[in-house]
């Protein structure tokens, strides 16, 4: 079942984390974010401004909430959800079926570092709360840029690093001390939720990630801090050489 032999240790560990928490993932998302993750996704969808028939690939799609939102927004477009955790995809398949979207959403077990799709295939490439978990986020951004059409949009929604005190101190205390204990209490997984704040430590802040978007060659880069900067939305456009 494990298709990740030969991958680096971070990939293997992240895979094991999400396999183990997949059953409680949605509930823990509600608890961790104080249910704000739905508002963050709503804001993101508004900025994306999808039109009928638009296509998208949702990397690290998890249990497919964002994948489903895009399918509903595009009304008729083909949407791909990609994740390397079969446990997550199993939960996602059930949600997709309940929404009657089986025909328009294709769920793929795969690696965000090497997407099994042609160049210029999608109108949008998105990644929600997954970029900080990959071994090389620049490689993933390059892959996202590659698979979107000229003029297409690359979108990342992920945790970030607030800079305003005293909120910054409260945030780090919650993320490093409270969150892992909540994971142990609710999902019976302390080590897995202890790893989440550790994954943030090496992840770039909002301005650094915006610069990474630009280094990838994306244009019109926009970065939006949400809920005091605990989360950030980044958007970049693949250059349309025909314009």
């Amino acid at each position: 079942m494990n298709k990740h032999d030969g991958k680096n240790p971070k990939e293997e560990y992240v895979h094991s984390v999400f396999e183990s928490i997949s059953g409680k993932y949605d509930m823990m998302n509600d608890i961790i974010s104080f249910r704000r993750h739905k508002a963050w996704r709503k804001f993101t969808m508004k900025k994306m401004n999808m039109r009928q028939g638009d296509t998208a690939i949702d990397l690290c799609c998890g249990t497919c909430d964002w994948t489903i939102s895009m399918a509903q927004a595009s009304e008729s477009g083909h949407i791909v959800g990609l994740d390397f955790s079969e446990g997550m995809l199993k939960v996602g398949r059930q949600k997709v079926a309940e929404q009657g979207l089986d025909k328009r959403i294709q769920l793929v077990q795969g690696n965000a570092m090497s997407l099994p799709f042609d160049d210029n295939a999608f109108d949008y490439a998105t990644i929600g709360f997954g970029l900080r978990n990959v071994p090389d986020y620049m490689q993933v951004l390059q892959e996202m840029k590659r698979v979107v059409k000229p003029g297409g949009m690359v979108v990342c929604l992920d945790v970030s690093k607030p800079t305003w005190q005293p909120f910054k101190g409260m945030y780090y205390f919650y993320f490093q001390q409270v969150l892992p204990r909540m994971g142990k209490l609710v999902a019976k997984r302390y080590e897995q939720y202890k790893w989440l704040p550790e994954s943030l430590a090496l992840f770039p802040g909002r301005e650094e990630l915006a610069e990474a978007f630009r280094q990838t060659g994306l244009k019109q880069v926009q970065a939006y801090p949400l809920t005091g900067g605990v989360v950030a939305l980044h958007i970049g456009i693949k250059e349309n050489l025909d314009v």
Side-chain angles (χ1 to χ4, degrees):
M1 178 178 165
N2 193 336
K3 301 179 180 180
H4 308 284
D5 295 339
K7 298 294 188 291
N8 73 39
K10 179 174 180 178
E11 252 178 324
E12 289 289 356
Y13 184 66
V14 172
H15 180 258
S16 70
V17 166
F18 285 98
E19 285 290 292
S20 71
I21 65 176
S22 57
K24 296 285 183 68
Y25 182 77
D26 288 336
M27 179 174 65
M28 284 301 296
N29 268 358
D30 280 346
I31 294 171
I32 291 169
S33 72
F34 300 98
R35 298 187 69 87
R36 293 301 299 164
H37 67 99
K38 296 178 181 179
W40 298 331
R41 190 167 63 248
K42 184 177 180 181
F43 177 84
T44 301
M45 290 297 296
K46 184 176 180 181
K47 292 297 180 184
M48 289 169 65
N49 192 27
M50 292 185 79
R51 296 167 297 183
Q52 184 175 359
D54 280 346
T55 59
I57 180 168
D58 186 20
L59 279 62
C60 304
C61 65
T63 58
C64 300
D65 285 345
W66 196 357
T67 321
I68 289 169
S69 292
M70 286 190 283
Q72 292 170 336
S74 77
E75 297 182 10
S76 59
H78 180 65
I79 311 294
V80 172
L82 180 140
D83 202 286
F84 67 173
S85 168
E86 181 56 38
M88 290 290 199
L89 291 173
K90 183 178 180 181
V91 178
R93 285 191 195 97
Q94 186 174 352
K95 287 186 184 179
V96 169
E98 288 170 356
Q99 294 291 329
L101 293 169
D102 313 61
K103 299 289 191 296
R104 291 204 297 109
I105 292 179
Q106 173 191 4
L107 297 183
V108 177
Q109 186 179 17
N111 192 333
M113 299 272 289
S114 180
L115 299 177
F117 295 96
D118 292 337
D119 297 357
N120 309 318
F122 302 95
D123 296 302
Y124 295 85
T126 65
I127 186 165
F129 302 98
L131 193 61
R132 74 186 184 283
N133 297 328
V134 301
D136 184 346
Y137 65 84
M138 290 298 291
Q139 171 68 19
V140 172
L141 290 176
Q142 289 284 1
E143 279 290 274
M144 294 174 77
K145 179 191 169 192
R146 178 182 68 78
V147 299
V148 295
K149 301 171 184 177
M153 185 180 288
V154 172
V155 185
C156 173
L157 182 65
D158 213 323
V159 295
S160 193
K161 300 175 180 179
T163 57
W164 178 67
Q165 289 285 19
F167 184 70
K168 177 181 177 181
M170 294 166 57
Y171 167 77
Y172 279 103
F173 176 78
Y174 170 72
F175 216 60
Q176 294 170 352
Q177 303 296 326
V178 179
L179 188 152
R181 288 168 173 79
M182 290 170 63
K184 181 178 181 180
L185 180 67
V186 179
K188 306 298 187 283
R189 294 287 189 277
Y190 178 81
E191 287 300 321
Q192 286 85 343
Y193 282 94
K194 181 175 180 291
W195 174 81
L196 290 176
E198 292 171 358
S199 72
L200 177 62
L202 299 176
F203 193 59
R206 186 173 75 252
E207 292 305 322
E208 291 86 352
L209 188 55
E211 183 56 33
F213 267 58
R214 296 184 191 100
Q215 289 176 10
T216 306
L218 293 164
K219 307 298 182 183
Q220 302 176 46
V221 175
Q222 300 174 74
Y224 301 92
L226 304 175
T227 313
V230 303
V231 165
L233 167 64
H234 288 76
I235 292 174
I237 305 297
K238 181 172 179 176
E239 190 171 12
N240 190 342
L241 299 177
D242 296 331
V243 174

